[in-house]
Amino acid sequence: MPLSFARLAAACALAAAVSASPVAAQAVTPPGTQQPPLSRTPGWAREGGVLAANMVFGGVMGGIAQELRGGSFRDGFSRAALGGAAVYAGKRIAVEDFAGAGLLGREVAAVGSSVMWNAGAGRPSLSRVMLPVGPVNVYVTPGARRPVHLKADLAALIATGYAIAAPELELDAGESLSSGAMVFRAPAHLFRFPSGEVVSGAAYSGTVYLSDAPDPWADERTLPHERVHVIQMDQLFLGAGAHADAWLAAQVPGGRTLHRWVDVNSSLVPFWLLGRAIRRHDQRPWEVEANLMAGTE
C-alpha cells in the first residue's frame, strides 16, 4: 500500500524553515511495464560528461567563494575543480555492488568536497576535512590542538527522528553501515508524495528511505541511486553551504555558538527552490546525474 510522505513533510517543517532540505527520489516504473533502454550515448561520453560537470561545479563554487573573500578566482577554481574530480570518483564508488561501497564512496567524495571548501576559503587544500557519518559530521583539522570535532547535521537528525518514530519504517543496520548514511525500509509499502508521485526511494540530507519496489530491477538500483543523492547534498553543503553558514552565524546573536555544534546548511534553500521550479522529476540536474551513475536512466 502507498505510504504518504505528508507526515514526513510536516516533521521536516522545522528543517525546511532554516534549510529547506530537498527531497531526492527515485521514481518507479509501474508494474508490468518494460524498462526503457539506457541512453545510446557511449558510456565513456556519459562518464566524461559527469566528471566534467562535477569539476566545473566545484571550480565555480571554489572560485567565487575565494574571490568574495578578496582572493584569487583562478586559484579557487583550479583547486576546487580537482576536488570536484574526487567527488565524481566517490560517486562512482558509491554505486558499485560491494559491502561498504556507499561508505567508502561517501568519504572519498567528502574529501573532494573538503578540497572545494578549503579552496573557496583560501586555505591549503587539505587543511580541514569533513567526513559525514549518518547524521553526524566529523571535522578533522591536522595539527590543531583538538584535531577532531563533531557537529550534528540538523536536517539529517530530523529526518532520522521521523523515521524512528514512524511505525512503517524500519532501520536497516547493515545497509546503514555499508552506505555511511541512515537507511530505513518500509516493508509492504510504496512511497507517495503529496503530488501523487510514487517512488521507490528518497533521500533527505544524510538519511535514505527505501520502499518495496514494484519490480526487482528498480529495487536493485534504488539504493545506489539514493547514495548519489546523499553525496550530492554533502557536495552542495561544502561547496556553498558551509561558507554561507559561517557568514550567517556571525550575523545572528548566538549564531556562533550554534554553528560550533550544528550544521544547518542554508545552501539547501536555493536547491529546494530549483526543485520547485523544475517540475519534471527526470529533468532535475541531480536526478539526471544519479540516473546516469546508478544505471537508472
Side-chain angles (χ1 to χ4, degrees), residues 132-296:
V133 183
V136 177
N137 294 332
V138 181
Y139 288 85
V140 180
T141 308
R145 181 180 177 184
R146 295 182 178 178
V148 178
H149 179 66
L150 307 183
K151 295 178 69 173
D153 181 329
L154 179 61
L157 278 177
I158 292 175
T160 298
Y162 163 81
I164 293 173
E168 301 91 347
L169 292 167
E170 301 175 355
L171 175 66
D172 188 327
E175 288 294 0
S176 295
L177 289 172
S178 181
S179 298
M182 302 299 289
V183 177
F184 294 87
R185 292 186 180 273
H189 289 82
L190 294 176
F191 294 150
R192 188 185 304 278
F193 287 104
S195 63
E197 182 180 25
V198 175
V199 298
S200 59
Y204 283 80
S205 193
T207 307
V208 174
Y209 305 92
L210 301 175
S211 73
D212 274 358
D215 61 76
W217 183 90
D219 181 65
E220 179 184 350
R221 301 314 301 164
T222 296
L223 182 54
H225 180 104
E226 300 307 330
R227 287 173 178 167
V228 174
H229 285 321
V230 169
I231 292 175
Q232 289 168 339
M233 294 176 200
D234 296 339
Q235 179 183 16
L236 180 65
F237 169 61
L238 287 174
H243 300 295
D245 284 2
W247 181 84
L248 289 171
Q251 316 305 314
V252 180
R256 293 182 186 275
T257 300
L258 176 66
H259 181 62
R260 176 169 174 76
W261 299 105
V262 178
D263 282 327
V264 174
N265 194 358
S266 54
S267 69
L268 292 179
V269 174
F271 190 27
W272 176 76
L273 292 173
L274 182 59
R276 295 290 297 268
I278 306 175
R279 293 294 182 179
R280 284 274 308 267
H281 180 274
D282 60 346
Q283 290 183 352
R284 295 168 182 168
W286 50 93
E287 293 296 342
V288 172
E289 181 185 47
N291 284 335
L292 284 171
M293 301 208 75
T296 51

